[in-house]
Amino acid sequence: MADAVIDLNADLGEGFGRWTLTEDEALLSVVTSANVACGFHAGDPSTMRRVCGWAAERGVRIGAQVSYHDLAGFGRRAMEVPPEELADEIAYQIGALEMFARAAGSRVSYVKPHGALYNRVVADAEQAAAVVAGVARAGALCGGPLPVLGLPGSELLKAAGGAGLPVVAEAFADRAYTAAGTLVPRRDAGAVVHDAEAVLVRAVAMAREGRVTAVTGEAVRVRARSLCVHGDTPGAADLAVRLREALVGAGVRVEAFT
């Protein structure tokens, strides 16, 4: 890929009250897009305000990291939410973050589901359509159609594209993939790649060649415009610095997709 370009996104603001989880300030000096928790799986008003302010100061794009309403389970528990109710919850989360983004002199630039919702809308067309409906409802508040960030080939991106929303495919350098191009569930052994050197090699291959090796050994196509750096991984900020340096060293331009 002669002119490789990639966005780096990270899940940020995933604390609550006196508890912090992500190295927000450090990561915001590395990433180009920030997926900010909107209070349903993590985050609170003050955390949202601080992260939006830091992101705006650094020119980092602000994205709404929307979730099932599952604060106790960090948004990683499967839930059954009626589509209309889910659409309203998505719009509500985006609207809350937009207020803090505007106060910081920025805007919500895109939307990315979190955790169980992210995995659900890979294959569940009904829940994917509900998420897209919620994004569409919030669009007028945010100045127009919001891009949706998700897994390539997912029902979410199909629904978003069908509704006229911009779609952005992403990949995960530190997550294991199946031969079908989906993420290995976190409950399975080896779902997360902990070897930092392996993460760097995988990131460069994803950005430059659009491929990753599945847990079963097959080469899998992963054409992505954005690469996720998990903010809740121990040492995430240091790894993100090394990852960006590795990408730039391999001739990859690192810049936001919006």
Side-chain angles (χ1 to χ4, degrees):
M1 193 178 295
D3 189 28
V5 57
I6 201 78
D7 166 72
L8 288 181
N9 77 78
D11 301 342
L12 301 178
E14 290 186 321
F16 186 79
R18 61 182 293 184
W19 292 277
T20 58
L21 179 63
T22 46
E23 300 176 81
D24 295 329
E25 284 193 273
L27 282 165
L28 282 166
S29 297
V30 181
V31 301
T32 45
S33 296
N35 317 317
V36 183
C38 300
F40 271 37
H41 76 280
D44 56 58
S46 293
T47 301
M48 293 162 70
R49 176 185 56 77
R50 285 194 298 270
V51 174
C52 284
W54 291 331
E57 289 172 0
R58 293 162 173 79
V60 175
R61 301 297 190 271
I62 296 171
Q65 189 185 23
V66 296
S67 170
Y68 285 128
H69 204 172
D70 179 29
L71 192 59
F74 197 61
R76 287 183 175 162
R77 298 185 293 192
M79 303 185 76
E80 296 300 326
V81 182
E84 193 67 15
E85 182 178 335
L86 179 58
D88 289 338
E89 290 183 348
I90 298 302
Y92 179 92
Q93 292 175 77
I94 298 169
L97 187 64
E98 173 69 2
M99 187 274 288
F100 289 112
R102 285 195 193 185
S106 186
R107 302 293 293 268
V108 169
S109 296
Y110 65 95
V111 179
K112 174 184 173 178
H114 164 81
L117 181 59
Y118 187 99
N119 292 325
R120 180 72 171 269
V121 296
V122 169
D124 189 320
E126 183 179 59
Q127 291 280 281
V131 170
V132 169
V135 174
R137 287 175 191 174
L141 174 69
C142 299
L146 288 169
V148 175
L149 183 61
L151 203 68
S154 64
E155 291 295 331
L156 175 67
L157 295 194
K158 292 177 186 175
L165 301 179
V167 297
V168 182
E170 74 168 336
F172 298 80
D174 63 350
R175 288 294 307 277
Y177 278 76
T178 70
T182 58
L183 300 179
V184 173
R186 279 185 175 269
R187 63 178 178 273
D188 294 354
V192 179
V193 180
H194 295 289
D195 185 314
E197 293 302 325
V199 171
L200 301 184
V201 170
R202 288 159 62 90
V204 171
M206 288 174 169
R208 287 209 57 84
E209 303 168 29
R211 64 170 176 82
V212 69
T213 301
V215 289
T216 45
E218 297 92 342
V220 178
R221 298 295 291 172
V222 283
R223 292 193 177 277
R225 177 61 179 85
S226 187
L227 192 62
C228 181
V229 179
H230 278 108
D232 60 347
T233 302
D238 289 339
L239 178 59
V241 170
R242 293 180 60 192
L243 191 151
R244 181 161 182 159
E245 289 174 347
L247 290 168
V248 172
V252 179
R253 291 202 327 272
V254 178
E255 59 184 48
F257 59 81
T258 58

